[in-house]
Amino acid sequence: MTVDTAAAPFRAITLPTLTALPAALTALRPVTLPAPAAVLQTGCVPVHALLDAESPRLAGVDQDHVRLLAALETELPPIVVHRATLRVVDGMHRLHAARLRGRESIAVRWFDGTEREAFLLAVETNNRHGLPLTLSDRRESARRILRAWPDWSDRAVAAKVGLSGKTVGVLRRTAAEQGETGAPGELPAARVGCDGRARPLNATEGRLRAMDYLAVRPEASLREIARSAGISVETARDVRDRLGRGEGPLPGSGTGLRTGVRVPAPDAEGAAPRPGRAADRAAVDLPLVLDSLKRDPTLKYSDEGRAMIRWLEARMIREGESGVVLRAPDHQAPKIAAMARACAAHWDEIATELEHRGAGASAGAHRTGPDHR
């Protein structure tokens, strides 16, 4: 006998790949089982030609359930088979029951898709009918789906495996701590929900991207800003309005990141005061401080902390990098100098605010010491 692969196929599942923000926030709709009308026609395959599936069941085939199915006199529904590999996607117990009854062939519905999609379909169909998956089966299936589709939201994964979104969230965090989901830089910048819409994980990063884009393209439309930064049009509008008022791009940032910061007045010779500039640079080992921030658990394991580190790293001037700017043509030097002083004023204001906060924290620590109990 030959395998009948010409029958009407089980509808293939297609999954576009979500690339990094902001290039594409393409909708990646989580897989759904095709409607029954789309899978009515079947093929017929020799039992010996089929291969066992990579089942979501950790304990494998339940022989008691196989004997129960083999004893039934009614015809069982067709099994689902991955056409490319002839592996069973759904119906392992029915296949073993057919072998136990001495059947030479079995009715199948064909599935055309990748192997990881076949596993996802196996999980979904096993949760819908037949012998239920155990809690351990569903948790392990969730882990595997998170590795295959890290950009799916907790609820999207939960809907496939029959768990709560909170349980999937715990599994995701545990996997991240154990290094099973890749390095932080490899993690997706957005999550795809049950509705197929991609949403950025961290609004802070999107707002900062919008601020950077507006610095280069101040005339850009709201849709252009939103598309570039991977944020909604309303968020882009809010960022633009905040910057227009001289505020920072983040809610609650107040004037800590103002765009209209006063630049220090030049001295009599036309140059702004430069007290202790070289001494300040020599006193701080920038790469060492940045490395220390990256190792801090309070920053390392929070979205806002990682965003702050990336923001600082992108704006840090390393040894020798200033030469690129110093080679600017003479007629543009005053403009670039003004930009440099404006940026320096921003940083000076940030430093002053952070120093005040640090001094307040130190004073609080002293007040709670042994002598103030």
Side-chain angles (χ1 to χ4, degrees):
M1 295 180 67
T2 59
V3 177
D4 177 13
T5 60
F10 191 91
R11 184 184 299 171
I13 294 173
T14 57
L15 287 172
T17 300
L18 180 69
T19 57
L21 284 178
L25 280 174
T26 307
L28 174 58
R29 188 172 300 280
V31 178
T32 55
L33 192 65
V39 294
L40 289 178
Q41 295 186 5
T42 63
C44 192
V45 178
V47 169
H48 66 80
L50 296 175
L51 302 176
D52 288 356
E54 191 172 359
S55 174
R57 300 183 189 278
L58 299 177
V61 175
D62 185 329
Q63 295 301 327
D64 290 337
H65 191 62
V66 169
R67 286 189 288 271
L68 178 64
L69 294 178
L72 296 176
E73 296 182 359
T74 57
E75 193 68 25
L76 297 174
I79 65 176
V80 179
V81 175
H82 187 218
R83 191 194 297 267
T85 62
L86 293 182
R87 288 192 178 277
V88 177
V89 176
D90 176 49
M92 279 299 301
H93 288 98
R94 280 169 277 165
L95 175 61
H96 280 255
R99 290 171 178 170
L100 185 62
R101 296 169 67 175
R103 294 285 185 88
E104 293 186 357
S105 61
I106 189 171
V108 305
R109 294 185 297 173
W110 294 111
F111 168 71
D112 293 310
T114 66
E115 292 189 43
R116 69 171 189 166
E117 293 163 0
F119 177 82
L120 181 65
L121 183 60
V123 173
E124 192 172 19
T125 53
N126 274 283
N127 273 321
R128 291 192 176 193
H129 63 75
L131 190 64
L133 296 175
T134 67
L135 178 60
S136 297
D137 294 338
R138 285 178 278 137
R139 290 171 67 90
E140 182 56 35
S141 296
R143 293 187 187 96
R144 180 166 173 176
I145 293 172
L146 286 171
R147 290 194 295 270
W149 288 283
D151 41 15
W152 279 19
S153 71
D154 294 343
R155 289 185 179 181
V157 176
K160 301 303 174 187
V161 300
L163 294 171
S164 70
K166 290 183 179 180
T167 300
V168 174
V170 171
L171 294 175
R172 187 193 298 272
R173 288 191 293 274
T174 302
E177 291 171 1
Q178 296 174 351
E180 296 178 5
T181 55
E186 301 170 354
L187 298 180
R191 294 263 174 85
V192 181
C194 294
D195 59 358
R197 295 179 60 189
R199 297 171 177 84
L201 280 176
N202 190 349
T204 298
E205 294 184 4
R207 285 174 173 271
L208 293 176
R209 282 195 297 270
M211 179 184 69
D212 291 341
Y213 191 79
L214 280 167
V216 179
R217 298 285 306 278
E219 77 289 350
S221 68
L222 290 175
R223 291 190 179 278
E224 185 180 348
I225 298 167
R227 184 169 56 252
S228 174
I231 56 178
S232 69
V233 173
E234 285 305 311
T235 301
R237 186 193 308 277
D238 183 65
V239 171
R240 189 178 67 179
D241 291 346
R242 286 176 178 277
L243 295 177
R245 295 192 300 266
E247 300 176 2
L250 308 179
S253 59
T255 58
L257 287 172
R258 291 183 305 187
T259 57
V261 180
R262 294 180 181 177
V263 179
D267 59 18
E269 297 180 1
R274 300 167 57 91
R277 297 284 178 88
D280 289 343
R281 289 198 300 268
V284 179
D285 187 334
L286 296 180
L288 184 63
V289 172
L290 185 66
D291 186 60
S292 174
L293 293 174
K294 290 180 177 180
R295 292 198 304 268
D296 185 343
T298 60
L299 301 176
K300 181 179 179 181
Y301 296 115
S302 72
D303 290 337
E304 288 192 358
R306 291 193 295 269
M308 184 196 73
I309 291 172
R310 285 193 288 271
W311 190 88
L312 289 170
E313 189 169 18
R315 290 157 177 81
M316 184 176 75
I317 299 178
R318 295 165 179 80
E319 191 70 28
E321 288 183 343
S322 58
V324 176
V325 179
L326 294 176
R327 289 193 292 271
D330 292 344
H331 68 283
Q332 293 293 353
K335 293 181 181 179
I336 299 175
M339 290 177 61
R341 295 201 184 284
C343 291
H346 278 294
W347 278 111
D348 185 66
E349 193 170 61
I350 293 171
T352 300
E353 183 173 334
L354 292 175
E355 285 168 350
H356 285 322
R357 285 173 52 189
S362 298
H366 285 304
R367 285 195 298 271
T368 57
D371 296 336
H372 295 80
R373 291 179 182 174

